Amino acid sequence: MDFKDIELYDLQDCPYCQGPAWLEHVNGWCCYVECADCGAQTPHMEYKDEKSKKAAEEGVVYAWNQGKVVNFGRGE
């Protein structure tokens, strides 16, 4: 995948710690948004193809920007 193929989304700062966030994919079947500082994250959304992948990405970005996140703290 080339960088030009990656969709860029406007992610707000973390609602817990104001840290930066990124969109993460797990083995090509789901995605979520996570805070780089405290580990807060959205629920994971599954996808099966490119069309549903884009919808899943938009869903987790929307949830993040609305503050619909959980914070279990950083793992080891």
Side-chain angles (χ1 to χ4, degrees):
M1 178 186 310
D2 292 329
F3 182 73
K4 66 179 177 51
D5 297 327
I6 297 173
E7 183 78 33
L8 299 178
Y9 295 100
D10 183 25
L11 293 169
Q12 296 180 2
D13 292 337
C14 177
Y16 287 104
C17 73
Q18 312 315 281
W22 65 62
L23 177 65
E24 184 74 31
H25 287 270
V26 179
N27 297 326
W29 68 273
C30 76
C31 62
Y32 61 95
V33 175
E34 180 177 31
C35 174
D37 290 343
C38 74
Q41 59 182 247
T42 63
H44 293 51
M45 292 189 74
E46 293 183 27
Y47 56 85
K48 295 181 178 161
D49 54 31
E50 286 302 311
K51 184 178 179 182
S52 61
K53 177 181 176 182
K54 182 165 176 54
E57 289 176 346
E58 291 172 351
V60 295
V61 167
Y62 178 79
W64 179 267
N65 289 340
Q66 295 299 311
K68 306 295 185 193
V69 301
V70 293
N71 187 343
F72 298 112
R74 271 275 173 224
E76 295 186 276

